[in-house]
Amino acid sequence: MTHHIVATTPIAGQKPGTSGLRKKTAVFMGRHYLENFVQSIFDVVGTTGKTFVLGGDGRYFNDRAAQVIMRMAAANGVARIIIGKGAILSTPAASHLIRLNKTDGGIIMSASHNPGGPDEDFGVKFNMSNGGPAPESVTEAMYKRTTEITSYPMFDGQDIDLDKIGRVHLGPMIIDVVDPVSDYATLMESLFDFPKIRAMFQSGFRMRMDSMCAVTGPYAIEILENRLGAAKGTVVNGTPLPDFGGMHPDPNPTWAKALMDEMFSDSGPDFGAASDGDGDRNMVVGRGIYVSPSDSLAVLAANAHLAPGYAKGLAGVARSMPTSAAADRVADALGIAKFETPTGWKFFGNLLDAGRATLCGEESFGTGSDHVREKDGLWAILLWLNILAVRRESVAEILAAHWTKYGRNYYSRHDFEAVDAGRADAMVQALRDALPSLPGREIEGLRITEADDFAYTDPVDGSVSKSQGVRIVFDGGSRIVMRLSGTGTQGATLRVYLERYAPGPEGLDHDPQDALAPIIRAAHELASIEQYTGRTAPDVVT
Ligand code: G1P
Ligand code: ZN
């Protein structure tokens, strides 16, 4: 019943990036490509007698890839697969199922916030038995294996009906088709004060949740509308579509513009939120006010104790290095630990497993806690709702009070997309070479105090990750960070992160781009961005 498919030469190595392997869908659909990567996963993590979770964000090829992965799993001796109905699982729900069922890990099919469709992106990532993304040592081993494989086994069988919940078999392997939403919704109910949030909705509180035709639709409808009693129609774009309805399922002010327009209109709802392709990112907006992800992390850290799941307080707060230091100020005030990690959720895993951090966040619209080992869009949105229900203040009032108490970290990220990869590498290299000469230099009226290439030593296992982004720090704590994206699929994406601290309560009402103007000019000058990339302005500003 199993036959071996032979490719005479090894298939070109497939290097996983910041979060798994992402490529154009057509590449994944090409001969042996998906199979090569899946077999590499299996060879590295082992298969005999093991149980894995499987699911994805519903993008084009999700259902076909699931059938292939199940046939390969059966041929490799996997004992059991737990798969979401319709091969659907949000990334945080997959992480939860891995932990809840004590499985040996899981395969998640998603290219996150990248568009989907035959001409867009697809992706595959492996999460470990703790529910978190595979660490670099494991993804490196998988990569190496992709360069060696010349054949893989495939079980001969028909497609599994994934629309029916229940147990089926593929040869000797058990397949449990489960409801993708219910266990996750129960977990959310255990963390947050649902009766209080329900009462807030009953009293007329209005919300708009934009699921961007991606995976969170069914989750948001069940939790917000069915369990919390938000008005029907609160969730828009709530049906996951293979091409996300042609949308770019990335919850930021640029791609969730319809939501932004509504929140800034006179009759806008009290609270707005959006989530990405696979449900791990979130954007929150108040009426007439945008909450930057770095500020969101800080506000959540300062108020988490208002939710039952965090009533005992937090062990620590972790943020990725390019994320603003707003959360650090809260950690200092609370007297709890703070951590600065490289970009990518996998770096939070050890801190969460060791109980040293409870909340984590990234400037890229990612927030989460130790309830799973992924960032979690709906979780962040529900924690905000819990805080709003307890404090009975508007988002604008909560932010103003926060900045007055802690000061404000003006923050923005500028992305230069699809830049020539060779030129981008040359630019970063030149900047690295210049680092030792920068401290003491004056630019745009600012004095550079420190300049380095961020290296991280994991405080739990001692592993070292080098070259994680160039940091240039100015007098007073203003900062420029530059790094190249590890998730793009076309050329290189240069990310420039800009930050300036202003103590509260004065001067808190500037537009961030105005407040950051000299720092933006300094970044262009220091890195010769135009000279290397040919660009004078970024493609996306968040
Ligand atoms: C981006 C974000 C990063 C996030 C990752 C996965 O990675 O910047 O914070 O963890 O997506 O969602 P990048 O493209 O910058 O490597
Ligand atoms: Zn995502």
Side-chain angles (χ1 to χ4, degrees), residues 315-373:
V317 181
R319 64 167 174 87
S320 67
M321 182 273 282
T323 304
S324 96
D328 296 16
R329 298 178 187 280
V330 175
D332 289 344
L334 292 173
I336 59 173
K338 58 179 188 223
F339 301 92
E340 187 177 33
T341 61
T343 294
W345 205 260
K346 60 190 170 203
F347 291 101
F348 295 133
N350 280 344
L351 296 170
L352 293 167
D353 283 347
R356 294 178 65 171
T358 312
L359 251 53
C360 305
E362 293 195 273
E363 48 63 42
S364 52
F365 300 85
T367 346
S369 88
D370 58 359
H371 68 292
V372 290
R373 291 295 179 275

Side-chain angles (χ1 to χ4, degrees), residues 18-36:
T18 311
S19 42
L21 181 68
R22 270 181 218 173
K23 293 283 173 208
K24 287 286 162 206
T25 310
V27 174
F28 260 106
M29 293 176 77
R31 199 162 156 71
H32 304 309
Y33 195 90
L34 169 72
E35 293 84 345
N36 169 279

